[in-house]
């Protein structure tokens, strides 16, 4: 049974810092891994999708990596801004048409 | 292109009632998934539909059901509501199993 873990559960950093969020999963037989952002009381916004054959994806200040063999993914945020404050969730997609979710990392960027 | 829409956005029901939530996917997307989000359990998969067929179902009681119409719009129904059904219900659509899932804003259900 796939299990997804995100560390840390919460993170508070000053504006401008580079930071890394971690996601680990127990079963390497995945189709893809997605990173999402959720603002309080809102739905989910897809940030990056990494297919199982890929090692990383980049979008603006965001870079996500995937290491299937070790069951890990990282989301790197460069030059953090207060607007980056949100909960970041990773989700693993498998062959059964469902996403398995981590519990999320609540990120606070202090001005 | 319009995003995923969910109606209603907010609902208040009492225990024992039933509720129907609606989801309209992005045009051209044939797969619709439903998730429940609660503070205690996080995000949990309910079910997924593709071309009117349920392909997978999560570990929820039979009170939770869904369907998909020929235009890919989907509904989920919860019967005999319990207090623990209070949650944010999220719908997502995608073109295929390896594609990005796009989420709607959710329906927040409060059961009193």
């Amino acid at each position: 049974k796939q299990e997804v873990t995100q560390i840390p559960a919460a993170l508070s950093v000053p504006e401008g810092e580079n930071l890394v969020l971690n996601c680990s999963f127990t079963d390497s037989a995945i189709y893809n891994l997605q990173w999402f952002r959720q603002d309080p009381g809102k739905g989910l916004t897809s940030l990056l999708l990494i297919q199982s054959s890929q090692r990383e994806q980049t979008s603006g200040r965001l870079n996500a990596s995937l290491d299937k063999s070790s069951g890990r993914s990282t989301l790197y945020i460069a030059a953090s801004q207060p607007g980056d404050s949100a909960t970041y969730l990773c989700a693993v997609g498998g062959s059964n048409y469902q996403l398995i979710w981590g519990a999320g990392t609540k990120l606070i960027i202090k001005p | 292109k319009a995003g995923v829409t969910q109606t209603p956005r907010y609902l208040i029901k009492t225990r024992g009632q039933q509720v129907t939530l609606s989801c309209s996917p992005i045009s051209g997307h044939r797969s619709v998934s439903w998730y429940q989000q609660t503070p205690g359990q996080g995000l949990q998969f309910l079910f997924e539909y593709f071309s009117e067929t349920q392909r997978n179902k999560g570990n929820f009681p039979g009170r939770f059901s869904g369907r998909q119409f020929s235009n890919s719009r989907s509904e989920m129904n919860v019967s005999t509501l319990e207090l623990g059904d209070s949650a944010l219900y999220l719908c997502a659509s995608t073109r295929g199993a390896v594609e990005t899932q796009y989420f709607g804003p959710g329906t927040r259900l409060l059961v009193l």
Side-chain angles (χ1 to χ4, degrees):
Chain A
K1 177 187 171 186
Q2 180 74 270
E3 293 181 359
V4 181
T5 304
Q6 290 187 248
I7 294 174
L11 183 63
S12 179
V13 301
E15 179 179 3
E17 283 200 4
N18 304 323
L19 55 98
V20 175
L21 307 181
N22 296 292
C23 173
S24 61
F25 48 94
T26 55
D27 186 350
S28 62
I30 66 172
Y31 273 22
N32 53 43
L33 186 145
Q34 281 187 249
W35 284 93
F36 292 87
R37 161 187 180 140
Q38 187 172 33
D39 294 281
K42 302 288 181 63
L44 298 163
T45 301
S46 178
L47 297 173
L48 289 164
L49 167 72
I50 311 177
Q51 303 291 359
S52 62
S53 59
Q54 297 174 323
R55 294 300 300 265
E56 67 177 341
Q57 282 287 333
T58 298
S59 176
R61 296 182 293 109
L62 305 179
N63 175 278
S65 67
L66 175 63
D67 184 343
K68 275 180 39 177
S69 60
S70 66
R72 293 181 182 179
S73 176
T74 62
L75 178 66
Y76 175 83
I77 303 177
S80 58
Q81 303 171 357
D84 295 330
S85 297
T87 296
Y88 290 79
L89 295 130
C90 75
V92 170
S95 60
N96 56 0
Y97 314 111
Q98 70 179 82
L99 294 177
I100 307 297
W101 297 83
T105 294
K106 184 174 182 179
L107 176 64
I108 297 175
I109 307 298
K110 298 174 288 186
Chain B
K1 184 185 274 191
V4 178
T5 58
Q6 293 186 246
T7 57
R9 293 292 311 279
Y10 303 93
L11 266 179
I12 300 176
K13 293 285 188 178
T14 57
R15 279 182 299 174
Q17 287 187 310
Q18 75 164 17
V19 66
T20 298
L21 312 181
S22 180
C23 171
S24 292
I26 291 172
S27 177
H29 288 192
R30 296 167 64 188
S31 169
V32 173
S33 299
W34 288 89
Y35 295 87
Q36 181 197 64
Q37 187 177 32
T38 60
Q41 298 296 319
L43 274 152
Q44 293 184 287
F45 171 76
L46 281 157
F47 24 66
E48 187 265 356
Y49 287 88
F50 182 85
S51 293
E52 302 179 66
T53 300
Q54 185 183 91
R55 296 195 294 189
N56 194 15
K57 188 178 192 304
N59 189 25
F60 279 81
R63 301 184 295 108
F64 291 80
S65 62
R67 60 178 175 169
Q68 186 179 35
F69 302 94
S70 58
N71 61 358
S72 294
R73 188 177 70 86
S74 178
E75 289 181 347
M76 67 163 283
N77 183 275
V78 188
S79 62
T80 318
L81 284 166
E82 301 177 359
L83 296 179
D85 297 333
S86 295
L88 180 66
Y89 289 88
L90 292 160
C91 160
S93 77
T94 181
R95 285 182 298 186
V98 295
E99 305 266 351
T100 298
Q101 290 209 10
Y102 295 91
F103 281 79
T107 294
R108 189 164 295 280
L109 172 64
L110 177 61
V111 182
L112 301 176

